[in-house]
Amino acid sequence: MNITANWSYPTAFKLGRGRIKELADACKSLGMKNPLLITDRGLASMAITQTALDILEDAGLGRAIFADVDPNPNDKNLEAGVKAFKDGGHDGVVAFGGGSGLDLGKCVAFMAGQTRPVWDFEDIGDWWTRASVEGIAPIVAVPTTAGTGSEVGRASVITNSETHVKKIIFHPKFLPGVVIADPELTVGMPKIITAGTGMDAFAHCLEAYSSPFYHPMSAGIALEGMRLAKEYLPRAYKEGTDLEARANMMSAAAMGAVAFQKGLGAIHALSHPIGAVYNTHHGMTNAVVMPAVLRFNRSAIEEKIARAAAYLGISGGFDGFYDYVLQLRSELGVPDSLSAMGIKPDRIDELSAMAIEDPSAGGNPVKMTLENTKALFKDCF
């Protein structure tokens, strides 16, 4: 089944195989004449990236790339990216890749128009209103993984290179003008990345659905996103060239990011500090801590999860859902614990302090305190 669709939810979203061919038209539709393609080091030399550059060059849009991006992008990458953008006289960004390329690309487009430091735009209160809107460059987002959903997000996660703390930088203009989601670009993902990014999408949906805030639209999207991940993630993992599974996982990833307007929770609140301190893969870290967080939240979400289980065709209510998560993790080769990931439990106090300060903590169904978060971290080991 060849899945193709045009959506405008929450932005123009062009899904379907081969649609990378529409990249130049997407750039031109946003007024770009000289875009800068921003991606990470690993993708820079790959065929899919060179093809994208060919498409831009053939359309008279130049052939400019910036790829000095770490797996967890930081302020130094950002500074270098903004310099490359200005030095090249660029007027738009093609954010290309997984979460790191997308997040940095979006942030470069935003910061190209700012004079204040990036930390002034952290996702706190109305800090975003400090921004100067004039110089923000347009963005076309091209995801090459199916996980973060950053292609439909109004924020970027940037690590402070001095404190090693991940900060969420927010502005409505971070939302790309056009998304090109071509499942053929995700075919080359290694199995471990298919698993990690897919579990990130599943975690976004699970946490958004479980969050206590009132947002029934997000809850509905989260539920269907979980169903798509349940049905298609094992298929994409087993057979990387299954384009139907790849396309459905791209949908699930975008749905997870749309849904988490409703809030995230302890899975992300634990995962962010672990990733910042140990540089682990974000989605894989989410998958590792997921069962412990389900146990932690059980008293507050048991009925909700039972409803989700019924929709997903899982019998046995909360326990059935919990067992399904364990089975899915083992099917995807996810480590059983943080220890199995190679992390030592010697910094639990520090990680717990970071976790309760993380913006995701506020959406957890059970209030996170320093004490119960330390216990939760211990449980993850």
Side-chain angles (χ1 to χ4, degrees):
M1 183 182 165
N2 181 13
I3 295 170
T4 309
N6 291 341
W7 295 320
S8 183
Y9 194 80
T11 190
F13 195 97
K14 300 179 184 305
L15 171 70
R17 58 200 287 189
R19 297 196 71 175
I20 189 64
K21 294 187 193 75
E22 298 172 38
L23 177 60
D25 291 341
C27 291
K28 288 175 180 173
S29 75
L30 300 176
M32 296 184 202
K33 293 185 173 70
N34 181 23
L36 176 63
L37 186 144
I38 297 181
T39 191
D40 62 71
R41 294 185 192 94
L43 273 168
S45 58
M46 285 177 68
I48 53 172
T49 314
Q50 295 307 312
T51 298
L53 289 167
D54 292 344
I55 289 164
L56 294 174
E57 191 173 28
D58 291 348
L61 295 175
R63 189 189 186 90
I65 181 171
F66 174 80
D68 196 8
V69 180
D70 288 302
N72 288 304
N74 58 48
D75 45 352
K76 289 178 178 164
N77 301 156
L78 178 61
E79 204 178 317
V82 171
K83 185 178 187 308
F85 184 89
K86 289 181 172 169
D87 290 352
H90 296 291
D91 58 3
V93 166
V94 175
F96 190 96
S100 45
L102 296 173
D103 274 15
L104 196 84
K106 285 159 51 179
C107 211
V108 166
F110 170 74
M111 287 303 292
Q114 309 310 320
T115 50
R116 303 172 70 133
V118 68
W119 313 122
D120 282 5
F121 308 109
E122 197 183 337
D123 190 10
I124 295 172
D126 64 354
W127 285 18
W128 65 272
T129 58
R130 299 165 167 179
S132 158
V133 181
E134 285 71 54
I136 300 173
I139 304 158
V140 173
V142 185
T144 62
T145 65
T148 67
S150 182
E151 65 274 11
V152 292
R154 295 172 177 83
S156 287
V157 179
I158 304 292
T159 302
N160 183 321
S161 57
E162 284 173 22
T163 62
H164 298 292
V165 174
K166 287 188 172 189
K167 296 287 188 186
I168 296 172
I169 311 301
F170 169 85
H171 193 279
K173 291 269 185 195
F174 270 68
L175 184 68
V178 180
V179 177
I180 294 179
D182 183 340
E184 289 179 348
L185 303 188
T186 69
V187 162
M189 265 196 290
K191 277 193 152 176
I192 189 167
I193 302 295
T194 297
T197 53
M199 287 302 284
D200 193 25
F202 185 78
H204 289 157
C205 293
L206 171 60
E207 292 219 283
Y209 176 74
S210 302
S211 154
F213 302 125
Y214 181 78
H215 199 324
M217 289 163 72
S218 282
I221 292 165
L223 203 50
E224 178 65 3
M226 277 194 275
R227 189 191 69 79
L228 289 178
K230 176 176 182 279
E231 194 163 330
Y232 293 103
L233 177 53
R235 273 177 55 177
Y237 180 75
K238 283 191 196 84
E239 186 45 72
T241 55
D242 183 339
L243 287 170
E244 185 184 359
R246 291 293 194 190
N248 276 295
M249 282 310 298
M250 291 190 103
S251 297
M255 290 163 79
V258 171
F260 71 53
Q261 293 177 39
K262 181 172 178 278
L264 287 167
I267 292 174
H268 278 77
L270 300 191
S271 176
H272 286 150
I274 294 166
V277 172
Y278 295 100
N279 231 11
T280 56
H281 184 276
H282 170 69
M284 201 51 98
T285 314
N286 284 342
V288 169
V289 302
M290 192 178 284
V293 172
L294 279 168
R295 294 194 293 273
F296 180 79
N297 285 331
R298 179 170 188 154
S299 61
I301 61 172
E302 194 156 354
E303 277 180 41
K304 244 185 199 174
I305 294 295
R307 284 201 302 276
Y311 181 72
L312 297 174
I314 297 166
S315 58
F318 180 94
D319 289 322
F321 183 89
Y322 178 83
D323 290 343
Y324 160 72
V325 168
L326 294 183
Q327 171 232 314
L328 178 64
R329 288 197 329 159
S330 76
E331 211 175 322
L332 301 176
V334 174
D336 279 342
S337 64
L338 290 177
S339 311
M341 261 191 129
I343 296 172
K344 294 184 174 61
D346 55 350
R347 295 174 76 170
I348 283 179
D349 289 1
E350 179 189 351
L351 292 171
S352 301
M354 288 166 78
I356 60 170
E357 290 299 313
D358 190 88
S360 305
N364 198 62
V366 171
K367 186 172 168 51
M368 295 176 72
T369 65
L370 196 55
E371 283 316 301
N372 68 13
T373 303
K374 278 184 196 173
L376 174 57
F377 260 116
K378 283 180 183 144
D379 200 15
C380 295
F381 285 97

